[in-house]
């Protein structure tokens, strides 16, 4: 009974319950199991290399109180955001161009394959050597790592564009802005969503490397610091905090935006 | 004819296409149009009639400015606006925009704020403004396409077999709706069709095209006034038409 009442209480929020209760319970059980295993392993073989969950939690709290955690998280988050925007804008423009013009595509395809296969580390190091240890070089290096993936996805999207909508837009003389907003972007939306999703995950991992190699703040820099003093609790505290932050962004920003963008699809019975 | 219409002016159309060819992927040259010339007068409803695959849609794409690789001239003369509207074979509504947004989006800047409730009323679309195209039947989607075309108050309207792949009763209902809306907002119209009865029902004049490469095989004036075009009158005209174009053989 009390469980039911609890459920009702939860329903007062406006967000629609897209998932049932069972998947949530499964997810919770799965995560709890992971922490239990971690706890058991760290208490059976006590070692500085694997601190128990409670120690990591305490480290997280103390870093939070000192303000360090918040500061470094925000520095990393801003780099992730900046690199994401740069990569999506440039990658989409290039991808759509390659998808629409076959000759352009034939010429630049080898470049694309080359860039897809250059290791992230090489691009980061070269960016720091050529442009100095600056914020621009850091964000640029991350964006350059991501751009080829965006290009490939958006090229597919541009190839799938429906010419009938373009014809309609031409006959009715839609403005360039209207064509972009109402004809082009909605058609590319599934591809933009795919590029975004794989993008965020990739970008934040590369951002940590960029910070480790040439920045004096951010989660990557802190992890490097704790690596040098062999403080695994600190490493895990920063990692888990940032993972949590990315999950919150996914839940509160990415999913609602996607739901809004595909609202016309949901009504299909 | 002086303008009795409150807004816009009907255009007349003069077409003289000398040649239009396609090259297939094997490099074979296909002549689609040759020496195709005709005129459509202001506020006239003309049908381009011809067998399937004779180049009707190609002609329409040239007139709409979607295909510029041809030799010849297309002249649209209009007193006020050069506004063109088209109803395609498929409705071509943006699936991610509602009925109302689809119509409003194509309105020229000067008409952006105009109400088009009367159009929706005539076409039986009132109350459906907030639906998405996927929620409409094909017949309703076609009506929205008609509403969109007329809402722009075009100087000339092109229709490319707008009633194909509908069942006969639905197509008939749409034809009478087209006539109702055309009476309410008269404009120059050119419709492509392969359906002779449809052409006889709707148009002032029928331009019969030859098989490929298409040119004008003959012109049939539909003398019977629209109000008198019942089933019987149409059948009489079908006979007269066939006598005229196929009678000799």
């Amino acid at each position: 009974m009390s469980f039911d009442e609890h459920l009702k209480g939860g329903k007062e929020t406006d967000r629609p319950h897209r998932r049932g209760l069972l998947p949530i319970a499964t997810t919770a059980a799965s995560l709890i199991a992971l922490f239990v295993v971690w706890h058991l392993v760290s208490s059976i073989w006590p070692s500085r290399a694997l601190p128990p969950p409670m120690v990591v939690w305490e480290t997280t709290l103390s870093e939070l109180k000192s303000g360090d955690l918040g500061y470094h998280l925000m520095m990393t988050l801003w780099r992730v955001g900046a690199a994401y925007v740069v990569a999506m804008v440039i990658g989409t423009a290039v991808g759509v161009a390659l998808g629409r013009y076959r000759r352009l595509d034939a010429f630049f395809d080898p470049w694309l394959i080359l860039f897809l296969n250059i290791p992230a580390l090489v691009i980061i190091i070269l960016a720091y050597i050529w442009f100095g240890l600056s914020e621009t070089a850091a964000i640029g290096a991350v964006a350059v790592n991501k751009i080829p993936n965006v290009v490939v996805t958006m090229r597919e999207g541009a190839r799938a564009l429906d010419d009938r909508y373009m014809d309609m837009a031409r006959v009715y003389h839609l403005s360039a802005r209207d064509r972009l907003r109402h004809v082009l972007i909605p058609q590319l939306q599934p591809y933009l969503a795919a590029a975004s999703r794989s993008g965020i995950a990739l970008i934040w991992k590369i951002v940590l490397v960029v910070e480790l190699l040439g920045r004096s703040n951010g989660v990557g820099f802190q992890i490097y610091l704790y690596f040098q003093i062999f403080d695994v609790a600190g490493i895990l505290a920063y990692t888990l905090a940032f993972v949590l932050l990315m999950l919150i962004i996914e839940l509160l920003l990415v999913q609602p935006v996607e739901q809004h963008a595909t609202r016309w699809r949901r009504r299909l019975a | 004819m002086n303008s009795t219409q409150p807004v816009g002016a009907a255009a007349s159309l003069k077409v003289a296409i000398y040649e239009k060819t396609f090259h297939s992927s094997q490099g074979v040259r296909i002549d689609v149009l040759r020496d195709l010339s005709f005129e459509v007068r202001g506020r006239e409803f003309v049908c381009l009639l011809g067998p399937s695959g004779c180049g009707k849609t190609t002609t329409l794409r040239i007139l709409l400015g979607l295909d510029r690789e041809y030799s010849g001239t297309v002249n649209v003369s209009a007193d006020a606006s050069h506004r063109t509207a088209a109803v395609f074979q498929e409705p071509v509504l943006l699936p991610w925009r509602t009925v109302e947004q689809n119509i409003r989006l194509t309105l020229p800047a000067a008409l952006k704020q105009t109400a088009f409730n009367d159009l929706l009323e005539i076409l039986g679309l009132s109350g459906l403004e907030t639906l998405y195209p996927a929620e409409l039947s094909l017949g309703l989607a076609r009506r929205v396409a008609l509403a969109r075309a007329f809402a722009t108050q075009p100087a000339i309207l092109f229709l490319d077999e707008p009633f194909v792949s509908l069942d006969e009763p639905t197509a008939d209902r749409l034809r009478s709706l087209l006539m109702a809306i055309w009476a309410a907002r008269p404009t120059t119209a050119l419709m492509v069709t392969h359906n002779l009865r449809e052409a006889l029902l709707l148009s002032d004049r029928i331009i019969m095209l030859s098989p490929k490469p298409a040119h004008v095989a003959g012109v049939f004036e539909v003398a019977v006034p629209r109000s008198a075009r019942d089933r019987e009158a149409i059948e009489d005209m079908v006979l007269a038409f066939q006598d005229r174009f196929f009678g000799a053989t």
Side-chain angles (χ1 to χ4, degrees):
Chain A
M1 280 298 141
S2 66
F3 190 61
D4 279 351
E5 276 160 23
H6 176 71
L7 252 184
K8 271 181 194 163
K11 273 194 179 170
E12 276 170 20
T13 52
D14 278 342
R15 288 229 338 269
H17 280 247
R18 290 200 306 129
R19 300 170 188 174
L21 191 63
L22 197 66
I24 295 174
T26 314
T27 308
S30 163
L31 286 177
I32 290 167
L34 183 66
F35 279 97
V36 169
V37 170
W38 174 8
H39 181 77
L40 287 177
V41 171
S42 59
S43 34
I44 296 169
W45 297 284
S47 153
R48 268 196 75 191
L50 184 64
M54 276 322 287
V55 175
V56 173
W57 176 241
E58 278 152 19
T59 311
T60 310
L61 281 184
S62 76
E63 288 287 308
L64 197 60
K65 272 181 202 141
S66 74
D68 281 356
L69 185 70
Y71 168 68
H72 292 292
L73 280 184
M74 283 310 125
M75 285 314 291
T76 300
L77 193 62
W78 121 257
R79 286 183 190 121
V80 169
Y84 167 81
V85 170
V86 172
M88 288 303 290
V89 169
I90 296 178
T92 302
V94 174
V96 169
L98 294 189
R100 295 309 282 172
Y101 302 102
R102 204 170 289 177
R103 287 214 178 138
L104 213 60
D105 187 32
F107 185 81
F108 284 108
D109 195 51
W111 292 33
L112 190 60
I113 292 169
L114 181 74
F115 273 96
L116 273 171
N117 286 289
I118 296 179
L121 193 59
V122 175
I123 292 175
I124 295 165
I125 289 172
L126 287 179
Y128 279 146
I129 293 174
W130 289 340
F131 304 106
L133 294 173
S134 64
E135 200 65 47
T136 317
I139 289 165
V142 179
V144 168
N145 271 299
K146 175 58 191 162
I147 285 169
N149 299 73
V150 181
V151 169
V152 170
T153 310
M154 296 318 296
R155 185 173 62 181
E156 284 311 308
R159 282 175 182 160
L161 289 177
D162 194 331
D163 286 332
R164 294 173 311 163
Y165 298 131
M166 300 296 171
D167 286 349
M168 188 276 290
R170 278 165 74 187
V171 168
Y172 286 105
H173 300 292
L174 296 198
S175 65
R177 192 170 150 267
D178 280 349
R179 283 183 205 204
L180 194 69
R181 231 183 101 195
H182 302 290
V183 182
L184 197 63
I185 302 225
Q187 285 189 80
L188 293 175
Q189 192 276 329
Y191 297 89
L192 284 168
S196 289
R197 273 174 181 260
S198 67
I200 292 281
L202 183 72
I203 282 174
W204 89 260
K205 286 163 194 167
I206 301 174
V207 165
L208 294 204
V209 181
V210 168
E211 289 171 344
L212 184 149
L213 285 174
R215 298 277 80 205
S216 52
N217 47 38
V219 176
F221 171 79
Q222 284 300 98
I223 287 175
Y224 184 53
L225 201 71
Y226 285 116
F227 167 61
Q228 284 174 325
I229 56 174
F230 210 66
D231 184 345
V232 180
I235 293 173
L236 289 177
Y238 272 90
T239 310
L240 292 179
F242 199 73
V243 169
L244 190 68
L245 185 62
M246 295 311 285
L247 285 177
I248 290 170
I249 288 173
E250 159 87 22
L251 273 172
L252 297 187
L253 198 71
V254 179
Q255 285 189 7
V257 166
E258 228 167 83
Q259 272 196 46
H260 178 76
T262 55
R263 66 201 177 283
W264 58 276
R265 252 184 254 262
R266 272 180 297 139
R267 287 218 223 156
L268 313 190
Chain B
M1 268 217 277
N2 274 329
S3 176
T4 49
Q5 207 182 349
V7 271
S12 63
L13 176 73
K14 197 174 270 181
V15 180
I17 300 167
Y18 306 124
E19 195 178 58
K20 166 70 192 171
T21 54
F22 278 124
H23 292 275
S24 74
S25 49
Q26 278 88 34
V28 181
R29 187 188 139 110
I30 303 161
D31 293 332
V32 189
L33 309 173
R34 181 165 302 150
D35 291 330
L36 175 66
S37 52
F38 60 87
E39 278 183 48
V40 181
R41 295 184 282 269
R43 229 157 272 171
E44 189 182 26
F45 196 121
V46 170
C47 273
L48 269 186
L49 185 77
S52 292
C54 76
K56 298 189 297 284
T57 296
T58 306
T59 309
L60 211 56
R61 286 184 66 81
I62 290 174
L63 300 185
L64 284 169
L66 296 173
D67 188 338
R68 296 183 194 281
E69 289 172 13
Y70 66 97
S71 63
T73 53
V74 173
N75 280 314
V76 179
S77 81
D79 303 338
S81 78
H82 280 264
R83 238 174 263 147
T84 319
V87 180
F88 301 92
Q89 273 182 28
E90 285 158 78
V92 198
L93 303 172
L94 300 173
W96 38 84
R97 294 290 179 263
T98 62
V99 167
E100 170 157 10
Q101 290 168 334
N102 262 289
I103 297 171
R104 200 164 288 288
L105 182 62
T106 51
L107 295 181
L111 297 175
K112 274 286 186 227
Q113 303 307 322
T114 344
F116 42 77
N117 300 339
D118 56 326
L119 273 176
L120 298 181
E121 190 81 36
I122 295 172
L123 288 167
L125 290 168
S126 300
L128 305 181
E129 292 92 336
T130 56
L131 293 185
Y132 286 98
E135 298 169 287
L136 305 175
S137 67
L138 182 59
L140 281 176
R142 290 245 161 92
R143 292 190 203 188
V144 176
L146 281 177
R148 177 174 65 185
F150 278 95
T152 61
Q153 304 183 354
I156 186 161
L157 170 66
F158 296 100
L159 304 110
D160 186 4
E161 308 212 36
F163 310 123
V164 289
S165 59
L166 288 173
D167 56 283
E168 239 349 86
T170 310
D172 260 338
R173 171 111 184 89
L174 274 174
R175 283 178 200 124
S176 51
L177 284 176
L178 171 61
M179 278 300 108
I181 202 167
W182 189 64
R185 294 191 176 187
T187 181
T188 309
L190 180 68
M191 180 165 122
V192 154
T193 181
H194 64 262
N195 184 331
L196 175 58
R197 282 176 180 79
E198 179 173 289
L200 289 169
L201 181 72
L202 300 176
S203 62
D204 298 308
R205 215 148 49 93
I206 299 173
I207 295 171
M208 176 78 180
L209 293 185
S210 71
K212 237 184 269 177
H215 53 270
V216 176
V219 177
F220 187 88
E221 301 273 349
V222 186
V224 182
R226 282 198 177 77
S227 54
R229 293 183 197 173
D230 52 13
R231 187 177 292 272
E232 210 173 319
I234 297 276
E235 289 311 316
D236 285 349
M237 285 194 285
V238 168
L239 289 178
F241 188 93
Q242 282 171 345
D243 198 43
R244 167 102 183 268
F245 287 100
F246 312 107
T249 52

